Every structure is written in C-alpha cells, then in structure tokens.
Amino acid sequence: MNRPAATRKFGEKREAIVQAAAVLINEVGVQATTLAEVARAIGLNATSVTYYFPRKEQLVVAVYDQTLTLMENIAREALAQEDPAARLRHFIAAHVTLRQRIRAGEHGLTTALSEIRTLEPEVQDPLMAHYLRIVDLVRRFFGEWSSNAQRALFSARAHILLEAMMWWPVWSMRYSVLDFARIEERLFDVLAHGLPAQRGTYAPQPLSGSWRTSDDDDASQNEAFLRAATVTINERGYRGASVNRIAESLNVTKGSFYHHHEAKDDLVLACFQHSYDRLSTVQIAGRDIGVDYWTRLTSVLAELVDLQFFDRTPLLRTTALQALDAEHKVGVVTRSNRLARRFAGMLIDGIADGSVRAIDPLVAGQVIMSTVNSAYEARHWAARFDPPEAATRTYLSVMSEGMLAPSGRAAGLAHAP
C-alpha cells in the first residue's frame, strides 16, 4: 500500500471513531461513553480504537474539537458575507441545514458542548479558547466596534445568537423538515428586528414576588442544597458537580446530602423543578399586571435576566439536560416547552393589542427561553456595567430592537462599560 492510501485509510478510520463517539456522547454523556462501546458501535475491538486514541480523554477532546471546528467554519463563512444582515441570515441558514442533514441520517456531525466544563483544566482550557475564537468571529458580524460600549453590545448579540443556535436542535424536533425553510425565515426575523411594534420600546415595570434569594441566609438546608447544586452544575457541568464538591461548598458531609436526596440525579431534577417554578412564578406576576402585553413581557424578561446576572441562586442551565436519562429528559423538555408556550401566549396577546409586531410567537418563545437561560453565562460580562440595570437593558436590546438595530442608538449603550 502506498503512503497516501495508508494515510487516507488512517484518516477515514479515525474519523469513523470520532463520529461514533460523538453519537454516544450525545446519547449517554461523556462518563458513560467508553472506548469499548465506541469500538463496538463500528465493529472494531477496543485495541484498535486505542491505536488511534490511547486514552478516552483524547477521544473526547477530538469529538469536541470537531464540533468547534465546524462551528468556526460556519462563522467564518458567514463573516465573509457582505453586511450584518447577510451574515446573520447565512449563519442561521447553515445551522438549519446542518439539522436537516442530521435528520436525513448523517451521524456524528455535532456534539452538545455541555460537558466541556467537566474536563480537567489542561484539556478544557484549549477547548474554551477555541470557543472564544468563535465568539469573536460572531461578534464581528455586526461590524467593527469603536468603543468598549459598542463591543459590549456586539458581545451580547454574539452570545445570544450562539446560544439560540445551540438550543435550536432541542426544539427543532417539534417541526417537520418540510417546515425548516419557514422556521429559518422566522428565526432571522425575530433575531434581526426584535419583537415590539415600536422598535426600541423598553419600559419594564417592577414585579413583586418571592423568587429572589434571601440575603439573610435563613434558607432551609434543602434550599441551600438546591442553591449550591444549581451554581455548581452551571459552572462545572453535571459530571463536574460531584456530591463531594456540592457538600463541601456548604461545609456539610456527604451523609447530609444523602439525607435529603437519594442520588445526584434526584437533586438535578429538583433543581430543574425549582428553577422552572421560579420562572413560572415570574411569568404569572408579569402576565397579570395592567399594562400592554409587550410591557408585561419585558417586565418578566428584565426580572429573569437580572436573576441570572445578579441573584445568588440563578436558574439551572439547560446544559444539565444531557446528563439525565431519556425518561427524565423528556419531562424536563416538556416543562420547558410549556414555559416557552406561555411566552408565546403573551406575544400573541401583544400582537392582538398592537404592542408586539406580527412575528411567529412559537419561534420567538424559544428564542426567549434560550436568551434567558444563557444569561447566566454572561455574568462576568454583566458585572462590568454601572449601574447594573444597564447590563440587563443592553442584553435585552436583542429582544427590544433586534441584532440589526443601529449600534449607536442601541439600548443601554450610554451606560455600558
């Protein structure tokens, strides 16, 4: 065999191993994926796999790097388009097309990135650096910034856009591929131009309720566990949030943990339940105030994003979904869809009263869910604003004005860092 043929064969087999591992990681997570299972999936023995990847960690990195490289290529292709609108449209279209290919039967194209945070720092850091390069490319979709304030705005847009595209595979399952072209257009419309009938309208009203974390540390031990687990899982992922780490953060024993929860999975479900209960309570509080529906919705969004930015107990990131078994995952996604539909209902009522423009409320509801959910990841970004309310206003300018609003007049720029 000549060397080019041998090299090609090596590359093809390595690619098959990476794709098989990607499928398994998507289905069962990193911890449950073994070299033996990967080998079995493609008809090899474990020794053959270790020839290409001596350690499982090396294979996991290759899987994540493949997805990040694909995302980077999509971003570079989009950035090469002539203007911000064309870049945004190209980026959304590429992600919709990718999902069509997966629906058509292609396997191992992408892997959920939720468990990168569970890896050891020496492995995680290069992957996170790769992701930040993607963020920088997407940030440049909107032009070159001329100030720190403008850069902060473009960063918020990039973050929200990337998170919307990473949430899209979850809710895309509710649609036929025959509807994908329409969804692509509606996604672009929502992200490009925002939601209110009068572009730029943003006047949230204060809401009252008991969803905030008390400052007096008078919480029950179970509430303290929920808080510690939520923060730890958000920061380190499900696998990185060990029982020991959660217990140590509260200065209690593992025995105390198991007194309240039979297993860590039970705690994750409790965290989702607690987060969704809080989100629902805020929705109802905003829905029932006596103003137009866009103001009701912005009041809810401002409160939820502020929780994500500044409250000691944020909402649990949906990245924890990957760790749950199929039965529990369905239940959590069902609850998430119900909350998204409540947002959609508020949008429908806003269209009826004239405060929301004619958009697809179901698509917009999912964009709202990913925007709120991912706000936790922007905590460090938000901490640089003075006053803090300017962070929430700037972040939500994607909803109130859209990503293609002239950056010089976008909400909150005067107060950005």
PDB file of all heavy atoms in Angstrom, residues 215-230:
ATOM      1  N   ASP A 215     -31.211  37.491  51.508  1.00  0.00           N
ATOM      2  CA  ASP A 215     -29.855  37.882  51.903  1.00  0.00           C
ATOM      3  C   ASP A 215     -29.509  37.495  53.333  1.00  0.00           C
ATOM      4  O   ASP A 215     -28.364  37.655  53.759  1.00  0.00           O
ATOM      5  CB  ASP A 215     -29.682  39.403  51.767  1.00  0.00           C
ATOM      6  CG  ASP A 215     -29.726  39.846  50.315  1.00  0.00           C
ATOM      7  OD1 ASP A 215     -29.287  39.055  49.461  1.00  0.00           O
ATOM      8  OD2 ASP A 215     -30.189  40.970  50.052  1.00  0.00           O
ATOM      9  N   ASP A 216     -30.481  36.967  54.063  1.00  0.00           N
ATOM     10  CA  ASP A 216     -30.230  36.704  55.485  1.00  0.00           C
ATOM     11  C   ASP A 216     -29.790  35.271  55.761  1.00  0.00           C
ATOM     12  O   ASP A 216     -29.648  34.860  56.916  1.00  0.00           O
ATOM     13  CB  ASP A 216     -31.473  37.024  56.330  1.00  0.00           C
ATOM     14  CG  ASP A 216     -32.701  36.219  55.885  1.00  0.00           C
ATOM     15  OD1 ASP A 216     -32.536  35.275  55.084  1.00  0.00           O
ATOM     16  OD2 ASP A 216     -33.813  36.552  56.337  1.00  0.00           O
ATOM     17  N   ASP A 217     -29.544  34.479  54.667  1.00  0.00           N
ATOM     18  CA  ASP A 217     -29.070  33.105  54.820  1.00  0.00           C
ATOM     19  C   ASP A 217     -29.961  32.269  55.738  1.00  0.00           C
ATOM     20  O   ASP A 217     -29.493  31.397  56.469  1.00  0.00           O
ATOM     21  CB  ASP A 217     -27.625  33.073  55.358  1.00  0.00           C
ATOM     22  CG  ASP A 217     -26.633  33.580  54.338  1.00  0.00           C
ATOM     23  OD1 ASP A 217     -26.795  33.224  53.156  1.00  0.00           O
ATOM     24  OD2 ASP A 217     -25.725  34.327  54.719  1.00  0.00           O
ATOM     25  N   ASP A 218     -31.263  32.552  55.690  1.00  0.00           N
ATOM     26  CA  ASP A 218     -32.201  31.844  56.553  1.00  0.00           C
ATOM     27  C   ASP A 218     -32.883  30.702  55.793  1.00  0.00           C
ATOM     28  O   ASP A 218     -33.965  30.276  56.154  1.00  0.00           O
ATOM     29  CB  ASP A 218     -33.258  32.841  57.082  1.00  0.00           C
ATOM     30  CG  ASP A 218     -34.043  32.253  58.247  1.00  0.00           C
ATOM     31  OD1 ASP A 218     -33.481  31.392  58.944  1.00  0.00           O
ATOM     32  OD2 ASP A 218     -35.205  32.662  58.451  1.00  0.00           O
ATOM     33  N   ALA A 219     -32.246  30.216  54.745  1.00  0.00           N
ATOM     34  CA  ALA A 219     -32.850  29.158  53.940  1.00  0.00           C
ATOM     35  C   ALA A 219     -32.763  27.820  54.656  1.00  0.00           C
ATOM     36  O   ALA A 219     -31.868  27.582  55.471  1.00  0.00           O
ATOM     37  CB  ALA A 219     -32.139  29.067  52.590  1.00  0.00           C
ATOM     38  N   SER A 220     -33.700  26.927  54.338  1.00  0.00           N
ATOM     39  CA  SER A 220     -33.625  25.574  54.873  1.00  0.00           C
ATOM     40  C   SER A 220     -32.430  24.861  54.246  1.00  0.00           C
ATOM     41  O   SER A 220     -31.878  25.295  53.236  1.00  0.00           O
ATOM     42  CB  SER A 220     -34.910  24.811  54.546  1.00  0.00           C
ATOM     43  OG  SER A 220     -34.992  24.572  53.144  1.00  0.00           O
ATOM     44  N   GLN A 221     -32.036  23.733  54.857  1.00  0.00           N
ATOM     45  CA  GLN A 221     -30.890  23.015  54.320  1.00  0.00           C
ATOM     46  C   GLN A 221     -31.180  22.495  52.921  1.00  0.00           C
ATOM     47  O   GLN A 221     -30.296  22.483  52.060  1.00  0.00           O
ATOM     48  CB  GLN A 221     -30.492  21.870  55.251  1.00  0.00           C
ATOM     49  CG  GLN A 221     -29.136  21.266  54.905  1.00  0.00           C
ATOM     50  CD  GLN A 221     -28.627  20.319  55.951  1.00  0.00           C
ATOM     51  OE1 GLN A 221     -29.300  19.341  56.284  1.00  0.00           O
ATOM     52  NE2 GLN A 221     -27.443  20.597  56.486  1.00  0.00           N
ATOM     53  N   ASN A 222     -32.406  22.075  52.674  1.00  0.00           N
ATOM     54  CA  ASN A 222     -32.751  21.593  51.334  1.00  0.00           C
ATOM     55  C   ASN A 222     -32.637  22.716  50.312  1.00  0.00           C
ATOM     56  O   ASN A 222     -32.112  22.513  49.205  1.00  0.00           O
ATOM     57  CB  ASN A 222     -34.170  21.018  51.328  1.00  0.00           C
ATOM     58  CG  ASN A 222     -34.487  20.324  50.007  1.00  0.00           C
ATOM     59  OD1 ASN A 222     -33.756  19.444  49.578  1.00  0.00           O
ATOM     60  ND2 ASN A 222     -35.569  20.735  49.365  1.00  0.00           N
ATOM     61  N   GLU A 223     -33.098  23.921  50.662  1.00  0.00           N
ATOM     62  CA  GLU A 223     -32.964  25.072  49.763  1.00  0.00           C
ATOM     63  C   GLU A 223     -31.503  25.409  49.532  1.00  0.00           C
ATOM     64  O   GLU A 223     -31.098  25.763  48.419  1.00  0.00           O
ATOM     65  CB  GLU A 223     -33.702  26.281  50.333  1.00  0.00           C
ATOM     66  CG  GLU A 223     -35.213  26.155  50.307  1.00  0.00           C
ATOM     67  CD  GLU A 223     -35.895  27.297  51.045  1.00  0.00           C
ATOM     68  OE1 GLU A 223     -35.317  27.805  52.037  1.00  0.00           O
ATOM     69  OE2 GLU A 223     -36.995  27.680  50.627  1.00  0.00           O
ATOM     70  N   ALA A 224     -30.702  25.267  50.576  1.00  0.00           N
ATOM     71  CA  ALA A 224     -29.266  25.523  50.444  1.00  0.00           C
ATOM     72  C   ALA A 224     -28.619  24.518  49.491  1.00  0.00           C
ATOM     73  O   ALA A 224     -27.747  24.879  48.688  1.00  0.00           O
ATOM     74  CB  ALA A 224     -28.593  25.464  51.815  1.00  0.00           C
ATOM     75  N   PHE A 225     -29.042  23.253  49.563  1.00  0.00           N
ATOM     76  CA  PHE A 225     -28.526  22.252  48.642  1.00  0.00           C
ATOM     77  C   PHE A 225     -28.915  22.588  47.204  1.00  0.00           C
ATOM     78  O   PHE A 225     -28.106  22.464  46.280  1.00  0.00           O
ATOM     79  CB  PHE A 225     -29.058  20.862  49.003  1.00  0.00           C
ATOM     80  CG  PHE A 225     -28.185  20.103  49.956  1.00  0.00           C
ATOM     81  CD1 PHE A 225     -28.673  19.690  51.189  1.00  0.00           C
ATOM     82  CD2 PHE A 225     -26.873  19.780  49.627  1.00  0.00           C
ATOM     83  CE1 PHE A 225     -27.877  18.989  52.078  1.00  0.00           C
ATOM     84  CE2 PHE A 225     -26.068  19.073  50.504  1.00  0.00           C
ATOM     85  CZ  PHE A 225     -26.569  18.679  51.738  1.00  0.00           C
ATOM     86  N   LEU A 226     -30.157  23.007  47.007  1.00  0.00           N
ATOM     87  CA  LEU A 226     -30.607  23.371  45.670  1.00  0.00           C
ATOM     88  C   LEU A 226     -29.778  24.524  45.114  1.00  0.00           C
ATOM     89  O   LEU A 226     -29.373  24.520  43.947  1.00  0.00           O
ATOM     90  CB  LEU A 226     -32.087  23.748  45.690  1.00  0.00           C
ATOM     91  CG  LEU A 226     -33.082  22.610  45.908  1.00  0.00           C
ATOM     92  CD1 LEU A 226     -34.495  23.167  46.027  1.00  0.00           C
ATOM     93  CD2 LEU A 226     -33.018  21.600  44.765  1.00  0.00           C
ATOM     94  N   ARG A 227     -29.512  25.520  45.949  1.00  0.00           N
ATOM     95  CA  ARG A 227     -28.717  26.670  45.527  1.00  0.00           C
ATOM     96  C   ARG A 227     -27.297  26.235  45.172  1.00  0.00           C
ATOM     97  O   ARG A 227     -26.786  26.577  44.110  1.00  0.00           O
ATOM     98  CB  ARG A 227     -28.676  27.718  46.633  1.00  0.00           C
ATOM     99  CG  ARG A 227     -27.851  28.964  46.278  1.00  0.00           C
ATOM    100  CD  ARG A 227     -27.618  29.826  47.500  1.00  0.00           C
ATOM    101  NE  ARG A 227     -28.859  30.096  48.198  1.00  0.00           N
ATOM    102  CZ  ARG A 227     -28.919  30.495  49.471  1.00  0.00           C
ATOM    103  NH1 ARG A 227     -27.809  30.624  50.183  1.00  0.00           N
ATOM    104  NH2 ARG A 227     -30.082  30.737  50.039  1.00  0.00           N
ATOM    105  N   ALA A 228     -26.672  25.475  46.058  1.00  0.00           N
ATOM    106  CA  ALA A 228     -25.289  25.051  45.830  1.00  0.00           C
ATOM    107  C   ALA A 228     -25.180  24.161  44.594  1.00  0.00           C
ATOM    108  O   ALA A 228     -24.247  24.303  43.792  1.00  0.00           O
ATOM    109  CB  ALA A 228     -24.758  24.318  47.059  1.00  0.00           C
ATOM    110  N   ALA A 229     -26.133  23.252  44.445  1.00  0.00           N
ATOM    111  CA  ALA A 229     -26.096  22.347  43.298  1.00  0.00           C
ATOM    112  C   ALA A 229     -26.311  23.108  41.993  1.00  0.00           C
ATOM    113  O   ALA A 229     -25.622  22.854  40.997  1.00  0.00           O
ATOM    114  CB  ALA A 229     -27.157  21.264  43.456  1.00  0.00           C
ATOM    115  N   THR A 230     -27.244  24.050  41.977  1.00  0.00           N
ATOM    116  CA  THR A 230     -27.515  24.826  40.768  1.00  0.00           C
ATOM    117  C   THR A 230     -26.278  25.596  40.326  1.00  0.00           C
ATOM    118  O   THR A 230     -25.880  25.553  39.156  1.00  0.00           O
ATOM    119  CB  THR A 230     -28.689  25.797  41.007  1.00  0.00           C
ATOM    120  OG1 THR A 230     -29.872  25.054  41.302  1.00  0.00           O
ATOM    121  CG2 THR A 230     -28.940  26.655  39.775  1.00  0.00           C
TER     122      THR A 230
END
